[in-house]
């Protein structure tokens, strides 16, 4: 395995790192590892690096890169929002790998805002044959509400938390001047209407795009294993294309070592299996 | 801005080189020594902006990841703090080769400050900037262990911080092996910062530790101290990976170096 730092596109190139296996084969799909929020391309707790190296050991090439103005990539001029520019930049990176290495199929992986970009890009570009998403768009169901309120009503911790969060909110208002020193994504994550997502997912299913969905306990819209399927029950027939895992004890940015390993292993195995299926 | 891998082929290090811009030729290159763990994640944007400002002011800049961290090769289990000191030397050699510059300065934040100070006792460093620096490895470990104990019972905290039976420490999603912890215990700015340096200590929050370091470093002939008040909670971790941009400190460093 070897790694190279690359600059992709112009006039302000996107910066990334390609992890290339010793036995590189351009027939296998390459994996694009996308930014999560403002975290640069090493990913949360170095998850993207660990995933890239694990994939390389299975003979799969990947690139982890920064969208413009994130991490090591310079800002680009223009009036596009992040939601508009990020899928186009992802396509630019796919074009680069296609041109330089002859790769024709791609798998996209992203967490949180990266998951959203993976979905948006897959809709736009038919070279995408699979997307792996951690905490993607997800929607509440009647069973979610039942679980949620049943648990809250009788949980003393929930009441304590409610009060302490109100206090925290108050102290945040008092310390508003401190906000000038923090940087968070300026575009807040808004879940599109469920019907729009269902329509997009149906397009992907029709193209036989495979989906690996992982939901963590940090996703507050979610509280039971099969909620993703249930929320789309009458709208999308995933056939054999959906792999769904729920990790209620994992935080959103997967700081726990146990879950870091689990996520890397799950994704590596799924992508490797997918590569084999596509080759066949 | 040029991303690159440098160093030996067995242990390549990832770095980003910012070439000097503008008409002023300073004949000075600066190597950035980063902190570790979430502190590294949280400071990445600040380091990039600082590098950009200093490059505009005519300095060559190289920021890089230590072995086993960021995009550099290997895993944390394979390295100690002594390897990281070698990495800083490697980065110094790289920027000397790239630019032909003789005067090399170091900027170190938190653990990076401790490592930069340690290195200044090994080789000639033109100027040294210690930013919210850790005073010693023992202090650092104590601080992290205190955080582990004090946050143990906070409900809804997305982190799992603990020391396991073998002595490995897990903190905010990153791990320290017993071997690494032992190596870091040997480091201290009180014994090792070279007196030949021109030195700046810059702090975002004054406290007992920063005062202790100040009283030690003030004995140096060429010492400056700046308190640029702004948030400096480097170890805070939130669910969106929010970053810290302490502009007053960054401005103070650029002004002092320029």
């Amino acid at each position: 395995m070897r790694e190279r730092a690359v600059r992709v596109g112009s006039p302000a190139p996107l910066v990334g790192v390609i992890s290339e296996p010793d036995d590189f084969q351009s027939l296998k799909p390459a994996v694009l590892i996308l930014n999560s929020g403002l975290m640069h391309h090493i990913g949360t707790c170095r998850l993207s690096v660990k995933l890239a190296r694990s994939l390389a050991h299975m003979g799969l090439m990947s690139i982890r890169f920064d969208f413009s103005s994130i991490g090591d990539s310079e800002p680009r001029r223009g009036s596009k929002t992040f939601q508009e520019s990020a899928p186009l930049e992802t396509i630019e990176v796919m074009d680069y790998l296609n041109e330089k290495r002859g790769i024709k199929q791609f798998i996209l992986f992203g967490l949180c805002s990266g998951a959203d970009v993976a979905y948006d890009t897959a809709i736009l570009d038919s070279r995408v044959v699979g997307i792996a998403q951690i905490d993607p768009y997800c929607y509440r169901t009647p069973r979610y509400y039942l679980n949620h309120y049943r648990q809250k009503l009788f949980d003393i911790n929930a009441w304590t938390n409610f009060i302490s969060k109100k206090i925290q909110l108050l102290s945040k208002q008092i310390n508003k001047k401190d906000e000038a020193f923090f940087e968070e994504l300026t575009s807040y994550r808004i879940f599109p209407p469920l019907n729009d997502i269902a329509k997009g997912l149906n397009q992907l299913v029709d193209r036989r795009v495979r989906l690996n969905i992982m939901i963590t306990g940090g996703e507050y819209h979610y509280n039971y294993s099969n909620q993703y399927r249930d929320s789309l029950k009458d709208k999308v027939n995933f056939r054999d294309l959906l792999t769904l895992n729920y990790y209620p004890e994992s935080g959103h940015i997967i700081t726990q070592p146990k879950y870091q390993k689990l996520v890397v292993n799950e994704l590596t195995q799924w992508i490797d299996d997918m590569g084999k299926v596509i080759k066949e | 801005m040029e991303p690159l891998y440098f160093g030996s082929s067995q242990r390549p290090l990832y770095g980003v080189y910012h070439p000097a811009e503008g008409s002023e030729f300073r004949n000075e290159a600066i190597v950035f020594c980063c902190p570790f763990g979430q502190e590294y994640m949280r400071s990445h944007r600040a380091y990039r902006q600082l590098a950009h400002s200093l490059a505009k002011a005519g300095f060559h800049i190289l920021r890089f990841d230590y072995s086993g961290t960021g995009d550099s090769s290997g895993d944390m289990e394979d390295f100690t703090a002594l390897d990281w000191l070698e990495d800083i030397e490697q980065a110094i050699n790289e920027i000397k080769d790239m630019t032909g510059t003789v005067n090399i300065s170091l900027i170190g934040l938190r653990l990076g400050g401790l490592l930069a100070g340690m290195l200044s006792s090994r080789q000639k460093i033109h100027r040294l900037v210690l930013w919210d620096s850790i005073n010693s490895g023992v202090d650092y470990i104590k601080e992290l262990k205190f955080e582990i104990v004090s946050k143990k019972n906070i409900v809804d905290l997305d982190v799992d911080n603990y020391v396991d039976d073998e002595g490995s420490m897990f903190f905010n999603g990153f791990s320290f092996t017993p071997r690494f912890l032992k190596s870091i215990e040997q480091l201290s700015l009180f014994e090792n910062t070279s007196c030949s340096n021109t030195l700046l200590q810059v702090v975002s929050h004054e406290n007992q530790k920063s005062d202790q370091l100040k009283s030690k470093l003030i004995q140096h002939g060429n010492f400056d101290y700046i308190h640029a008040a702004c948030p400096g909670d480097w170890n805070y971790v939130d669910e969106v990976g929010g970053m810290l941009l302490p502009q007053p400190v960054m401005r103070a460093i650029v002004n002092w170096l320029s």
Side-chain angles (χ1 to χ4, degrees):
Chain A
M1 197 269 301
R2 73 185 188 112
E3 294 191 312
R4 276 184 306 124
V6 291
R7 286 153 47 97
V8 179
S10 62
L14 307 173
V15 171
V17 173
I18 291 180
S19 300
E20 186 169 334
D22 296 330
D23 57 342
F24 165 70
Q25 294 171 35
S26 62
L27 283 176
K28 287 186 178 177
V31 181
L32 275 70
I33 301 173
L34 311 176
N35 291 121
S36 317
L38 275 179
M39 283 180 265
H40 73 292
H41 60 260
I42 74 159
T44 172
C45 305
R46 220 179 171 216
L47 186 75
S48 303
V49 178
K50 290 171 190 165
L51 176 62
R53 291 177 184 173
S54 173
L55 291 170
H57 286 118
M58 301 296 267
L60 290 153
M61 177 192 264
S62 69
I63 180 166
R64 51 188 187 272
F65 68 96
D66 293 319
F67 294 123
S68 56
S69 86
I70 291 179
D72 290 331
S73 293
E74 301 274 13
R76 285 179 169 178
R77 284 188 186 166
S79 55
K80 287 192 177 72
T81 62
F82 176 78
Q83 282 86 352
E84 289 166 334
S85 64
L88 298 178
E89 290 174 1
T90 308
I91 290 170
E92 207 175 324
V93 174
M94 291 195 282
D95 291 343
Y96 171 87
L97 290 177
N98 178 242
E99 189 192 319
K100 299 280 180 193
R101 308 309 304 265
I103 298 165
K104 293 186 173 66
Q105 293 183 315
F106 299 92
I107 297 166
L108 311 180
F109 162 68
L111 183 159
C112 192
S113 63
D116 305 345
V117 178
Y119 166 83
D120 291 339
T121 311
I123 297 287
L124 291 175
D125 198 309
S126 60
R127 292 173 297 179
V128 178
V129 293
I131 57 174
Q133 300 173 287
I134 300 181
D135 290 346
Y137 300 133
C138 59
Y139 300 86
R140 296 179 176 106
T141 62
R143 187 173 155 194
Y144 164 87
Y145 287 109
L146 192 69
N147 289 348
H148 180 75
Y149 289 111
R150 191 174 48 199
Q151 190 195 343
K152 295 273 174 198
L153 195 64
F154 301 108
D155 183 359
I156 185 75
N157 282 337
W159 288 102
T160 318
N161 276 351
F162 174 77
I163 294 162
S164 74
K165 275 183 182 162
K166 287 284 169 206
I167 293 166
Q168 273 175 22
L169 200 68
L170 191 70
S171 82
K172 263 189 187 168
Q173 281 163 358
I174 292 163
N175 293 323
K176 237 177 180 169
K177 62 181 170 47
D178 278 359
E179 285 177 9
F181 301 106
F182 293 96
E183 183 125 356
E184 289 179 355
L185 272 184
T186 46
S187 54
Y188 284 93
R189 199 174 178 212
I190 299 164
F191 287 11
L194 176 62
N195 284 338
D196 291 1
I197 290 298
K199 192 178 162 197
L201 287 170
N202 275 316
Q203 285 177 38
L204 298 185
V205 167
D206 288 345
R207 273 177 29 216
R208 299 235 13 111
V209 173
R210 285 172 169 75
L211 303 145
N212 189 320
I213 307 287
M214 294 186 212
I215 316 256
T216 70
E219 178 50 75
Y220 302 117
H221 299 86
Y222 207 91
N223 66 15
Y224 66 96
S225 299
N226 218 30
Q227 187 182 326
Y228 189 85
R229 279 181 202 276
D230 283 355
S231 67
L232 292 153
K233 190 167 55 179
D234 302 322
K235 299 175 192 294
V236 185
N237 176 4
F238 287 105
R239 295 178 244 169
D240 57 342
L241 299 170
L242 174 65
T243 305
L244 177 63
N245 285 295
Y246 178 41
Y247 304 124
E249 287 175 359
S250 168
H252 178 58
I253 60 167
I254 315 171
T255 50
Q256 303 99 317
K258 177 183 152 189
Y259 287 103
Q260 289 172 19
K261 276 187 195 144
L262 201 145
V263 164
V264 169
N265 291 342
E266 159 67 24
L267 285 172
T268 306
Q269 196 53 55
W270 178 77
I271 292 169
D272 187 44
D273 290 347
M274 233 188 98
K276 284 173 193 158
V277 170
I278 288 165
K279 219 176 159 188
E280 282 159 16
Chain B
M1 189 160 78
E2 187 190 332
L4 68 154
Y5 275 94
F6 64 93
S8 73
S9 56
Q10 284 76 39
R11 202 168 120 192
L13 300 170
Y14 174 84
V16 178
Y17 167 58
H18 299 250
E21 296 169 28
S23 53
E24 201 169 349
F25 177 64
R26 291 190 182 271
N27 194 24
E28 183 174 351
I30 306 171
V31 172
F32 283 23
C33 303
C34 54
F36 174 67
Q38 287 296 340
E39 302 186 17
Y40 159 78
M41 297 299 293
R42 202 159 160 72
S43 62
H44 187 271
R45 198 167 182 85
Y47 257 28
R48 188 185 102 180
Q49 281 201 6
L50 183 60
H52 187 66
S53 304
L54 287 168
K56 269 194 160 176
F59 298 95
H60 294 286
I61 307 293
L62 180 61
R63 52 191 173 88
F64 76 102
D65 296 334
Y66 308 119
S67 296
T69 74
D71 285 300
S72 289
S73 60
D75 292 314
M76 266 300 281
E77 297 81 58
D78 308 323
F79 302 102
T80 68
L82 302 179
D83 296 314
W84 288 5
L85 289 173
E86 280 175 18
D87 291 344
I88 301 173
E89 287 177 315
Q90 222 21 291
I92 290 172
N93 293 337
E94 184 67 22
I95 203 163
K96 274 184 179 170
D97 287 348
M98 286 172 89
T99 63
T101 311
V102 179
N103 296 321
I104 304 295
S105 298
L106 297 177
I107 295 177
L109 168 63
R110 295 276 296 157
L111 182 60
L114 175 57
L115 293 166
M118 293 296 296
L119 198 93
S120 71
S121 64
R122 284 190 181 193
Q123 65 167 269
K124 190 176 181 305
I125 297 300
H126 184 58
R127 295 194 282 180
L128 179 62
V129 177
L130 304 175
W131 173 5
D132 285 344
S133 181
I134 307 286
N135 293 353
S136 71
V138 172
D139 275 356
Y140 184 52
I141 295 165
K142 262 190 202 162
E143 182 190 324
L144 300 189
K145 283 188 174 167
F146 176 76
E147 288 266 325
I148 291 173
V149 173
S150 61
K151 287 184 180 162
K152 204 174 177 179
N153 297 318
I154 298 182
V155 185
D156 275 359
L157 199 70
D158 277 346
V159 294
D160 192 7
N161 294 338
Y162 59 97
V163 180
D164 72 10
D165 294 341
E166 277 92 48
S168 289
M169 185 159 72
F170 298 87
F171 190 77
N172 287 353
F174 292 83
S175 61
F176 301 80
T177 62
R179 193 164 75 101
F180 186 88
L181 290 171
K182 203 169 179 187
S183 72
I184 222 164
E185 275 176 1
Q186 317 300 318
L187 310 183
S188 167
L189 286 181
F190 295 112
E191 281 118 50
N192 292 292
T193 310
S194 164
C195 294
S196 62
N197 300 132
T198 302
L199 256 168
L200 170 66
Q201 181 191 2
V202 56
V203 296
S204 53
H205 280 89
E206 289 183 315
N207 55 33
Q208 196 193 352
K209 296 285 175 200
S210 64
D211 287 348
Q212 278 172 5
L213 187 60
K214 183 181 168 188
S215 21
K216 154 75 183 166
L217 297 177
I218 211 156
Q219 297 159 20
H220 289 221
N222 301 315
F223 173 69
D224 284 314
Y225 175 86
I226 299 171
H227 172 217
C230 56
D233 51 346
W234 294 106
N235 256 323
Y236 177 76
V237 53
D238 62 29
E239 63 181 27
V240 293
M243 309 220 172
L244 204 51
L245 274 177
Q247 299 289 0
V249 172
M250 289 151 71
R251 273 196 300 272
I253 292 173
V254 174
N255 290 339
W256 186 80
L257 285 165
S258 306

